[in-house]
Amino acid sequence: MRTELCDRFGIQYPIFVFTPSEKVAAAVTRAGGLGVLGCVRFNEADELENVLQWMDENTEGKPYGVDIVMPAKIPTEGTSVDINKLIPQSHRDFVDKTLADLGVPPLPEDEERSEGVLGWLHSVARSHVEVVLKHPIKLIANALGSPPKDVIDQAHEAGVPVAALAGSAKHALRHAENGVDIVVAQGHEAGGHTGEIGSMVLWPEIVDALGGKAPVLAAGGIGTGRQVAAALALGAQGVWMGSAFLTSAEYDLGVRRESGVSVIQEAMLTATSADTVRRRIYTGKPARLLKTKWTDAWDAPDAPEPLPMPLQNILVSEAHQRMNESDNPATVSMPVGQIVGRMNEIRPVADIIAELVTGFEEASKRLDGIRES
Amino acid sequence: MRTELCDRFGIQYPIFVFTPSEKVAAAVTRAGGLGVLGCVRFNEADELENVLQWMDENTEGKPYGVDIVMPAKIPTEGTSVDINKLIPQSHRDFVDKTLADLGVPPLPEDEERSEGVLGWLHSVARSHVEVVLKHPIKLIANALGSPPKDVIDQAHEAGVPVAALAGSAKHALRHAENGVDIVVAQGHEAGGHTGEIGSMVLWPEIVDALGGKAPVLAAGGIGTGRQVAAALALGAQGVWMGSAFLTSAEYDLGVRRESGVSVIQEAMLTATSADTVRRRIYTGKPARLLKTKWTDAWDAPDAPEPLPMPLQNILVSEAHQRMNESDNPATVSMPVGQIVGRMNEIRPVADIIAELVTGFEEASKRLDGIRES
């Protein structure tokens, strides 16, 4: 399974995997794909530096990338103390009451409180860029559209291509005009921030709109080799995955049972494809999340309207921390795509990648049979 | 492009096309697919009988099917006079005011008023079944899930297989248990009634859940041969299309310009994939519609909640008639899928089918290149 992107990136398969776990990112890279480490959880440059050093030591010299989060426009800049003043008390009260109703325990006294997505502020994201460019990264992706022009230029000067997510042909074209090298066409099915247009319609639309100006990675709904075949049949040059690796054996974030499976993984293993919702409650922009008692609470008639980005994530940041450190799978907070319905067992990263390749091969041979009979 | 369904139905390509137009249905059948005529617009058995006689005369002895609409459970039965009493006056007032605000002209005095979806009542749908079984139809489809058991039995006694739409694996399995022969897996992208799960995730999920108990037709987002290739790669045995043929040259319903293009077609030719909404305002159940000033009005803060099925369609039926007989493309009422973004020219049915076949072949050959390099 080779496309032009394999030669360009020096990878065996055109499989790009976004993950917040360096263990998963490194395993993807070692298995022949391109692991892309999400940096948003590192508010401190030192933390990120340490993890990238670990990546360098555990990827056998094979290529990997990073994902930073930089909104094209950010309304507020400053410390979390300033921004906190913009959050209404009634929203804070709703969060507190909901957590109490759901029986979510408080954090231990001495634990550091998450301040939310400071990593989305340009100042923090720019410090991420400074750090990552000192490492042999092969891709900088931005999960929120085109990065600012100076960041694209800085990456290009370092010889690093830039990828950006798009949920419409218009956004994809704007990315290409801004100098973005690779467009991730993210369909409605995807976890995290998503638009309205389904992958089946969106992927070929973006491929055709770009007309070769930039290669397209297909995202949203991919978990098996058959879906990789569909993506490539629709004109994508590769796939961009995320959710399907959250139940990989290497994924080690979150509170774990004695079995080694985390509480969040438990929640995902039992969810069906109908158990996600697309809501503004995670960040202020529509994002697909695992449906839980927490998302249900925000759907209730008495729930407030979510705040705009970045306020909403700052509002719920400690709540996410509390829920995800508790041992109740019914109240976790987790972005995940509709492919969660197929995430029914814990598998090593290498096994997931192997199925993507063999499943692709089988599907394309089945099409040969249909074509030639 | 042959699958097992081609032999079973005696068709050249596994392309099933639902359409309310007998001209389109017959053209699809003549071009090697299976045209499926929607019967819901025929409230009188005589009308349907006449159209089926026309179909028999214009399909060169090739197979065609019909689609009837029978909700599995119907809360009310009776004449439209009885049912009308269940519609609140405030809803009627909202419809009247909206039509006035949008400048939609009244119907001519002498024109028959549409009574809405009486065709969905079991009594009417059963009379449709009586009529269609006197013709050489090869498929009875039900756009609203499994038909009642006695209708399935009646079709089987006549040697006619039954197809039903499903938006989840659970519904698909129920259809198979009820004796349905073919499952149409309809993804979120589709026009008309749709569920939440995108085609990329839903199609293989339903294929796997059925495990061969019934073949699957993929629906929702298909307009090109590449999308047919994706559907077959994902395990479907064929495709079920609708929207893409609404801008075929043969489609002759609705008010037409001197050019021969209808007002509704004009609206679809200029719409992008983002110009649809999924709302309960058409029938009472979520259905994807062309986004227009009419759908915007129902999204306004002062709009009432849509009524349950079948009341909502009876409420808006005359409004639909008025809007679709006017000459303003901004106020038509039309179910259509996200593929509308690719419906940018009027083409003969035979040309659309020809592209589906060659586009499929090209896509599957591209996959061969990716597999073998």
Short mmCIF file of all heavy atoms in Angstrom, two decimals, chain B residues 180-221:
data_model
loop_
_atom_site.label_atom_id
_atom_site.label_comp_id
_atom_site.label_asym_id
_atom_site.label_seq_id
_atom_site.Cartn_x
_atom_site.Cartn_y
_atom_site.Cartn_z
N VAL B 180 -37.28 -9.36 5.66
CA VAL B 180 -36.84 -8.45 4.60
C VAL B 180 -35.66 -9.08 3.86
O VAL B 180 -34.77 -9.67 4.47
CB VAL B 180 -36.46 -7.08 5.21
CG1 VAL B 180 -35.64 -6.24 4.25
CG2 VAL B 180 -37.73 -6.35 5.64
N ASP B 181 -35.66 -8.98 2.53
CA ASP B 181 -34.66 -9.66 1.72
C ASP B 181 -33.40 -8.85 1.48
O ASP B 181 -32.32 -9.39 1.30
CB ASP B 181 -35.28 -10.03 0.36
CG ASP B 181 -36.53 -10.86 0.52
OD1 ASP B 181 -36.41 -12.08 0.73
OD2 ASP B 181 -37.64 -10.28 0.49
N ILE B 182 -33.55 -7.53 1.41
CA ILE B 182 -32.42 -6.64 1.10
C ILE B 182 -32.48 -5.43 2.02
O ILE B 182 -33.54 -4.82 2.18
CB ILE B 182 -32.49 -6.18 -0.38
CG1 ILE B 182 -32.27 -7.39 -1.29
CG2 ILE B 182 -31.47 -5.09 -0.66
CD1 ILE B 182 -32.37 -7.06 -2.74
N VAL B 183 -31.33 -5.13 2.63
CA VAL B 183 -31.28 -3.98 3.54
C VAL B 183 -30.58 -2.81 2.84
O VAL B 183 -29.49 -2.96 2.29
CB VAL B 183 -30.54 -4.35 4.84
CG1 VAL B 183 -30.30 -3.11 5.70
CG2 VAL B 183 -31.34 -5.40 5.62
N VAL B 184 -31.23 -1.67 2.86
CA VAL B 184 -30.62 -0.43 2.36
C VAL B 184 -30.04 0.30 3.57
O VAL B 184 -30.78 0.77 4.44
CB VAL B 184 -31.67 0.46 1.66
CG1 VAL B 184 -31.02 1.75 1.17
CG2 VAL B 184 -32.33 -0.29 0.51
N ALA B 185 -28.70 0.35 3.64
CA ALA B 185 -28.02 1.00 4.76
C ALA B 185 -27.87 2.48 4.42
O ALA B 185 -27.10 2.85 3.55
CB ALA B 185 -26.65 0.37 4.98
N GLN B 186 -28.65 3.30 5.10
CA GLN B 186 -28.75 4.71 4.72
C GLN B 186 -28.02 5.59 5.72
O GLN B 186 -28.45 5.75 6.86
CB GLN B 186 -30.23 5.09 4.64
CG GLN B 186 -30.47 6.58 4.50
CD GLN B 186 -31.40 6.90 3.34
OE1 GLN B 186 -31.25 6.38 2.23
NE2 GLN B 186 -32.36 7.74 3.58
N GLY B 187 -26.91 6.17 5.29
CA GLY B 187 -26.08 7.00 6.17
C GLY B 187 -26.62 8.41 6.33
O GLY B 187 -27.51 8.86 5.59
N HIS B 188 -26.06 9.10 7.31
CA HIS B 188 -26.41 10.47 7.69
C HIS B 188 -26.44 11.44 6.50
O HIS B 188 -27.22 12.40 6.49
CB HIS B 188 -25.36 10.93 8.70
CG HIS B 188 -25.56 12.28 9.27
ND1 HIS B 188 -26.56 12.56 10.17
CD2 HIS B 188 -24.87 13.43 9.12
CE1 HIS B 188 -26.47 13.84 10.53
NE2 HIS B 188 -25.46 14.38 9.91
N GLU B 189 -25.62 11.21 5.49
CA GLU B 189 -25.50 12.13 4.36
C GLU B 189 -26.74 12.15 3.48
O GLU B 189 -26.93 13.07 2.66
CB GLU B 189 -24.32 11.71 3.46
CG GLU B 189 -22.94 11.85 4.07
CD GLU B 189 -22.47 10.61 4.81
OE1 GLU B 189 -23.32 9.89 5.38
OE2 GLU B 189 -21.26 10.38 4.84
N ALA B 190 -27.59 11.12 3.60
CA ALA B 190 -28.66 10.88 2.65
C ALA B 190 -29.75 11.95 2.69
O ALA B 190 -29.96 12.59 3.72
CB ALA B 190 -29.30 9.52 2.92
N GLY B 191 -30.46 12.11 1.59
CA GLY B 191 -31.66 12.92 1.55
C GLY B 191 -32.82 12.17 2.16
O GLY B 191 -32.82 10.95 2.23
N GLY B 192 -33.83 12.92 2.60
CA GLY B 192 -35.00 12.28 3.20
C GLY B 192 -34.68 11.78 4.60
O GLY B 192 -33.75 12.28 5.26
N HIS B 193 -35.42 10.76 5.07
CA HIS B 193 -35.23 10.26 6.43
C HIS B 193 -33.84 9.67 6.60
O HIS B 193 -33.43 8.80 5.84
CB HIS B 193 -36.28 9.20 6.75
CG HIS B 193 -37.67 9.75 6.82
ND1 HIS B 193 -38.69 9.30 6.03
CD2 HIS B 193 -38.18 10.76 7.57
CE1 HIS B 193 -39.78 10.00 6.29
NE2 HIS B 193 -39.50 10.90 7.21
N THR B 194 -33.12 10.15 7.59
CA THR B 194 -31.77 9.65 7.87
C THR B 194 -31.52 9.63 9.35
O THR B 194 -32.13 10.37 10.11
CB THR B 194 -30.66 10.55 7.29
OG1 THR B 194 -30.87 11.89 7.75
CG2 THR B 194 -30.60 10.49 5.81
N GLY B 195 -30.56 8.77 9.73
CA GLY B 195 -30.11 8.70 11.12
C GLY B 195 -28.88 9.55 11.33
O GLY B 195 -28.55 10.42 10.53
N GLU B 196 -28.18 9.27 12.43
CA GLU B 196 -27.03 10.09 12.85
C GLU B 196 -25.71 9.53 12.33
O GLU B 196 -24.71 10.24 12.32
CB GLU B 196 -26.94 10.08 14.39
CG GLU B 196 -28.14 10.65 15.12
CD GLU B 196 -28.01 12.15 15.36
OE1 GLU B 196 -27.04 12.73 14.84
OE2 GLU B 196 -28.87 12.70 16.05
N ILE B 197 -25.69 8.27 11.94
CA ILE B 197 -24.40 7.60 11.70
C ILE B 197 -24.00 7.74 10.24
O ILE B 197 -24.76 7.41 9.33
CB ILE B 197 -24.48 6.11 12.11
CG1 ILE B 197 -24.96 6.01 13.56
CG2 ILE B 197 -23.11 5.43 11.95
CD1 ILE B 197 -25.33 4.62 14.00
N GLY B 198 -22.79 8.24 10.02
CA GLY B 198 -22.30 8.51 8.68
C GLY B 198 -22.09 7.23 7.87
O GLY B 198 -21.83 6.16 8.42
N SER B 199 -22.20 7.37 6.56
CA SER B 199 -22.10 6.22 5.66
C SER B 199 -20.81 5.44 5.86
O SER B 199 -20.81 4.20 5.81
CB SER B 199 -22.19 6.70 4.20
OG SER B 199 -23.49 7.18 3.93
N MET B 200 -19.69 6.14 6.06
CA MET B 200 -18.38 5.47 6.18
C MET B 200 -18.36 4.48 7.33
O MET B 200 -17.70 3.45 7.27
CB MET B 200 -17.31 6.55 6.38
CG MET B 200 -15.88 6.09 6.36
SD MET B 200 -15.35 5.22 4.85
CE MET B 200 -15.87 6.38 3.57
N VAL B 201 -19.08 4.79 8.39
CA VAL B 201 -19.15 3.91 9.56
C VAL B 201 -20.32 2.94 9.44
O VAL B 201 -20.21 1.75 9.75
CB VAL B 201 -19.27 4.76 10.85
CG1 VAL B 201 -19.60 3.90 12.06
CG2 VAL B 201 -17.97 5.54 11.08
N LEU B 202 -21.46 3.44 8.96
CA LEU B 202 -22.69 2.64 8.98
C LEU B 202 -22.65 1.45 8.02
O LEU B 202 -23.08 0.35 8.37
CB LEU B 202 -23.89 3.53 8.63
CG LEU B 202 -25.24 2.82 8.68
CD1 LEU B 202 -25.63 2.52 10.13
CD2 LEU B 202 -26.32 3.64 8.00
N TRP B 203 -22.20 1.70 6.78
CA TRP B 203 -22.28 0.63 5.77
C TRP B 203 -21.56 -0.65 6.20
O TRP B 203 -22.18 -1.71 6.23
CB TRP B 203 -21.75 1.13 4.42
CG TRP B 203 -22.53 2.24 3.80
CD1 TRP B 203 -23.78 2.68 4.13
CD2 TRP B 203 -22.09 3.09 2.73
NE1 TRP B 203 -24.14 3.74 3.33
CE2 TRP B 203 -23.13 4.01 2.46
CE3 TRP B 203 -20.93 3.17 1.96
CZ2 TRP B 203 -23.04 4.98 1.47
CZ3 TRP B 203 -20.82 4.13 0.97
CH2 TRP B 203 -21.87 5.03 0.72
N PRO B 204 -20.26 -0.58 6.56
CA PRO B 204 -19.59 -1.83 6.95
C PRO B 204 -20.15 -2.40 8.24
O PRO B 204 -20.16 -3.63 8.43
CB PRO B 204 -18.12 -1.43 7.11
CG PRO B 204 -18.12 0.05 7.29
CD PRO B 204 -19.32 0.56 6.54
N GLU B 205 -20.66 -1.53 9.11
CA GLU B 205 -21.25 -2.01 10.36
C GLU B 205 -22.48 -2.88 10.06
O GLU B 205 -22.66 -3.95 10.65
CB GLU B 205 -21.64 -0.80 11.21
CG GLU B 205 -22.11 -1.14 12.59
CD GLU B 205 -22.12 0.11 13.48
OE1 GLU B 205 -21.04 0.55 13.87
OE2 GLU B 205 -23.21 0.65 13.74
N ILE B 206 -23.31 -2.43 9.15
CA ILE B 206 -24.51 -3.19 8.81
C ILE B 206 -24.15 -4.45 8.03
O ILE B 206 -24.70 -5.54 8.26
CB ILE B 206 -25.53 -2.30 8.06
CG1 ILE B 206 -26.16 -1.31 9.06
CG2 ILE B 206 -26.58 -3.12 7.33
CD1 ILE B 206 -27.26 -0.43 8.51
N VAL B 207 -23.18 -4.35 7.12
CA VAL B 207 -22.72 -5.54 6.39
C VAL B 207 -22.28 -6.61 7.39
O VAL B 207 -22.68 -7.78 7.30
CB VAL B 207 -21.56 -5.19 5.43
CG1 VAL B 207 -20.87 -6.44 4.91
CG2 VAL B 207 -22.07 -4.33 4.26
N ASP B 208 -21.46 -6.21 8.36
CA ASP B 208 -20.93 -7.18 9.33
C ASP B 208 -22.02 -7.70 10.25
O ASP B 208 -22.04 -8.89 10.59
CB ASP B 208 -19.81 -6.55 10.15
CG ASP B 208 -18.56 -6.30 9.31
OD1 ASP B 208 -18.56 -6.65 8.12
OD2 ASP B 208 -17.58 -5.75 9.86
N ALA B 209 -22.93 -6.82 10.68
CA ALA B 209 -23.98 -7.25 11.60
C ALA B 209 -24.88 -8.30 10.93
O ALA B 209 -25.27 -9.27 11.55
CB ALA B 209 -24.81 -6.05 12.05
N LEU B 210 -25.17 -8.10 9.65
CA LEU B 210 -26.04 -9.05 8.94
C LEU B 210 -25.30 -10.35 8.63
O LEU B 210 -25.92 -11.41 8.56
CB LEU B 210 -26.58 -8.42 7.65
CG LEU B 210 -27.63 -7.33 7.85
CD1 LEU B 210 -27.94 -6.62 6.54
CD2 LEU B 210 -28.92 -7.93 8.44
N GLY B 211 -23.99 -10.25 8.45
CA GLY B 211 -23.19 -11.46 8.23
C GLY B 211 -23.73 -12.34 7.12
O GLY B 211 -23.74 -13.56 7.24
N GLY B 212 -24.24 -11.74 6.06
CA GLY B 212 -24.72 -12.53 4.93
C GLY B 212 -26.20 -12.88 5.00
O GLY B 212 -26.75 -13.46 4.07
N LYS B 213 -26.86 -12.54 6.12
CA LYS B 213 -28.31 -12.83 6.22
C LYS B 213 -29.11 -12.12 5.13
O LYS B 213 -30.17 -12.57 4.74
CB LYS B 213 -28.84 -12.38 7.59
CG LYS B 213 -28.58 -13.38 8.69
CD LYS B 213 -29.10 -12.85 10.03
CE LYS B 213 -28.44 -13.58 11.17
NZ LYS B 213 -28.38 -12.77 12.41
N ALA B 214 -28.61 -10.95 4.71
CA ALA B 214 -29.25 -10.20 3.62
C ALA B 214 -28.18 -9.34 2.97
O ALA B 214 -27.32 -8.81 3.67
CB ALA B 214 -30.39 -9.33 4.16
N PRO B 215 -28.23 -9.20 1.65
CA PRO B 215 -27.29 -8.29 1.01
C PRO B 215 -27.62 -6.84 1.36
O PRO B 215 -28.76 -6.51 1.68
CB PRO B 215 -27.48 -8.56 -0.48
CG PRO B 215 -28.80 -9.22 -0.61
CD PRO B 215 -29.12 -9.88 0.70
N VAL B 216 -26.60 -6.00 1.28
CA VAL B 216 -26.74 -4.60 1.68
C VAL B 216 -26.54 -3.69 0.47
O VAL B 216 -25.60 -3.86 -0.31
CB VAL B 216 -25.68 -4.25 2.76
CG1 VAL B 216 -25.67 -2.75 3.05
CG2 VAL B 216 -25.96 -5.04 4.04
N LEU B 217 -27.47 -2.76 0.31
CA LEU B 217 -27.28 -1.66 -0.64
C LEU B 217 -26.85 -0.43 0.16
O LEU B 217 -27.45 -0.12 1.18
CB LEU B 217 -28.59 -1.35 -1.38
CG LEU B 217 -29.17 -2.46 -2.25
CD1 LEU B 217 -30.50 -2.01 -2.85
CD2 LEU B 217 -28.19 -2.86 -3.35
N ALA B 218 -25.81 0.25 -0.32
CA ALA B 218 -25.28 1.42 0.37
C ALA B 218 -26.00 2.66 -0.12
O ALA B 218 -26.11 2.89 -1.32
CB ALA B 218 -23.79 1.54 0.11
N ALA B 219 -26.46 3.47 0.83
CA ALA B 219 -27.17 4.72 0.48
C ALA B 219 -26.67 5.86 1.35
O ALA B 219 -26.30 5.67 2.50
CB ALA B 219 -28.67 4.54 0.70
N GLY B 220 -26.66 7.06 0.77
CA GLY B 220 -26.26 8.24 1.53
C GLY B 220 -24.92 8.77 1.08
O GLY B 220 -23.89 8.31 1.57
N GLY B 221 -24.92 9.70 0.13
CA GLY B 221 -23.67 10.33 -0.28
C GLY B 221 -23.11 9.82 -1.59
O GLY B 221 -21.99 10.17 -1.95
#
